[in-house]
Amino acid sequence: MPRPSILLFALVWLSAAWFGSWHWNPNSAVRLFAAIQIAERQEATIDRFEALTIDKATFGRHFYLDKPPGMTLMVVPVIAAADAATGDSADGKVLDAADPTFDRYIKLRQWLAAAAINATLLALAALALMDIGRRATGSTGAGVFGALAFALGTPLW
């Protein structure tokens, strides 16, 4: 039988990766737009995407991400890898949520970002919490319970 840590990691990762985030959520889409710009054009502006989000900042004549940059910067290699693997980029696309080609482009990159970054970090945090709970109580079951409550029952999921 697999160890509880393997099962916990798999459950948390699959849950977070599968359900991920809606790709047109303004909170996550603006981060994705900034990551696309950095990966594909080496620019920090989101001028091309500004009409697609309400969650943005202006400085001078340009639009920017109005969030802390950590998650966006972690996703840049994911976007670059997706572009390389698919041979696709945002260039030449109709930048409109109603365009099916652009929708598929964004949906894939959002899922890859959620799976590679968010789901992995959440699953690793759940493992760490399980270990803390196991050490503190002497019970693997208590550690797993605490880790599942944390991973699946808080806003981090």
Side-chain angles (χ1 to χ4, degrees):
M1 172 150 174
R3 295 181 51 185
S5 56
I6 294 169
L7 291 174
L8 175 67
F9 185 92
L11 174 68
V12 171
W13 187 88
L14 285 169
S15 175
W18 182 265
F19 293 103
S21 176
W22 179 51
H23 54 291
W24 292 114
N25 173 345
N27 190 43
S28 57
V30 70
R31 289 179 167 101
L32 192 61
F33 299 151
I36 289 167
Q37 280 294 97
I38 294 168
E40 294 181 0
R41 293 191 171 193
Q42 295 75 51
E43 294 177 5
T45 66
I46 59 164
D47 295 341
R48 297 188 311 149
F49 300 101
E50 70 86 15
L52 296 172
T53 185
I54 57 171
D55 205 357
K56 58 195 169 196
T58 57
F59 184 75
R61 295 178 2 186
H62 295 285
F63 295 91
Y64 296 91
L65 170 73
D66 66 346
K67 309 269 181 229
M71 190 61 69
T72 299
L73 294 175
M74 285 190 283
V75 171
V76 170
V78 175
I79 301 299
D83 286 0
T86 62
D88 199 6
S89 73
D91 286 337
K93 293 205 176 4
V94 176
L95 303 181
D96 186 341
D99 180 64
T101 303
F102 186 61
D103 185 68
R104 281 190 303 276
Y105 169 86
I106 291 294
K107 188 182 289 186
L108 173 65
R109 279 144 186 84
Q110 179 67 30
W111 184 85
L112 289 171
I117 307 300
N118 303 55
T120 301
L121 291 175
L122 181 59
L124 290 172
L127 286 179
L129 190 58
M130 181 192 82
D131 189 54
I132 291 169
R134 183 184 54 78
R135 289 173 191 249
T137 66
S139 168
T140 300
V144 169
F145 179 80
L148 284 173
F150 156 76
L152 304 179
T154 67
L156 286 172
W157 179 89

